[in-house]
Amino acid sequence: MSGPGEYRPDPTEGITRPEDLPKAKIVRQSRNFKHRPCPYCGKSCYRDKTYTRTLHDVGDLVSGRPRDIQLTYSQHHCCQCRKYFNADVTDLAPPKALYTHRVMALAVRLVVEDGLPYESASWHLWRDQRVFVPWATIQNWVEAGGKKGGPRTGQPLPRLGARRLLRLHRRR
Ligand SMILES: [Zn+2]
């Protein structure tokens, strides 16, 4: 008999090898343009190259799988300024980031608003959002955000799940 409040453990609980976790669903997004205005002088500049980068997004909660955005973007060359610049993708993620703004905002909120230790925030993101973020990465985000004294690491973990997850992170 199952009711609305029935406890159902996370199906990934107890998995110790990252390769046994569900595979990420790939979603393609494009910021690939023929021309873009130069950010320095405003001149419309041709595409020089196309690059792809992968961003870890909030997971797919229906399938229970992580979701990766495969982002294609163009690089342009301004012949006037003799500079290269990329098509703007900052609506999705900060420069060089591996995670989307969405994931970063959720992680920081778990720590700053809910007061979770970094390890627990990391576990929550996996269990509830299906996105892997090492706790040290969350710590960097929180500290970079200049938010006043988030919880410190080394606090007791509320569940075993977090420990298992940490082990996975360390092995990666
Ligand atoms: Zn220019």
Side-chain angles (χ1 to χ4, degrees):
M1 279 257 279
S2 59
E6 193 204 4
Y7 170 68
R8 290 165 191 270
D10 185 320
T12 64
E13 185 88 51
I15 288 181
T16 51
R17 302 190 316 164
E19 55 271 30
D20 292 340
L21 288 170
K23 291 244 178 313
K25 206 164 148 175
I26 309 292
V27 182
R28 279 167 227 285
Q29 292 225 24
S30 174
R31 298 288 185 279
N32 189 6
F33 305 96
K34 255 189 186 159
H35 292 93
R36 282 282 93 180
C38 168
Y40 310 100
C41 70
K43 183 186 184 320
S44 177
C45 303
Y46 271 111
R47 177 173 53 211
D48 186 69
K49 284 189 190 77
T50 304
Y51 291 107
T52 304
R53 77 191 242 220
T54 301
L55 292 169
H56 306 303
D57 197 10
V58 172
D60 182 87
L61 298 183
V62 176
S63 64
R65 285 163 62 191
R67 179 165 48 191
D68 284 345
I69 295 178
Q70 217 166 73
L71 176 63
T72 306
Y73 62 97
S74 44
Q75 188 184 63
H76 303 257
H77 182 247
C78 177
C79 51
Q80 212 158 280
C81 305
R82 294 172 185 245
K83 275 181 177 161
Y84 289 92
F85 63 92
N86 295 335
D88 188 17
V89 299
T90 51
D91 59 317
L92 286 172
K96 295 189 177 137
L98 294 173
Y99 296 87
T100 60
H101 285 303
R102 242 191 311 238
V103 172
M104 295 172 81
L106 278 171
V108 171
R109 246 181 267 152
L110 285 172
V111 174
V112 174
E113 287 182 13
D114 301 341
L116 291 184
Y118 298 118
E119 292 93 331
S120 310
S122 174
W123 168 244
H124 268 255
L125 286 172
W126 171 255
R127 192 195 60 189
D128 301 338
Q129 310 294 339
R130 282 296 185 250
V131 56
F132 251 132
V133 189
W135 66 263
T137 303
I138 301 178
Q139 184 177 17
N140 289 342
W141 293 343
V142 171
E143 284 171 3
K147 296 286 192 311
K148 46 174 193 285
R152 278 162 299 279
T153 56
Q155 294 180 11
L157 301 172
R159 315 172 34 121
L160 270 175
R163 281 205 181 125
R164 289 207 187 96
L165 193 68
L166 284 173
R167 242 178 274 144
L168 293 185
H169 285 325
R170 288 205 193 99
R171 280 208 225 151
R172 287 187 144 194

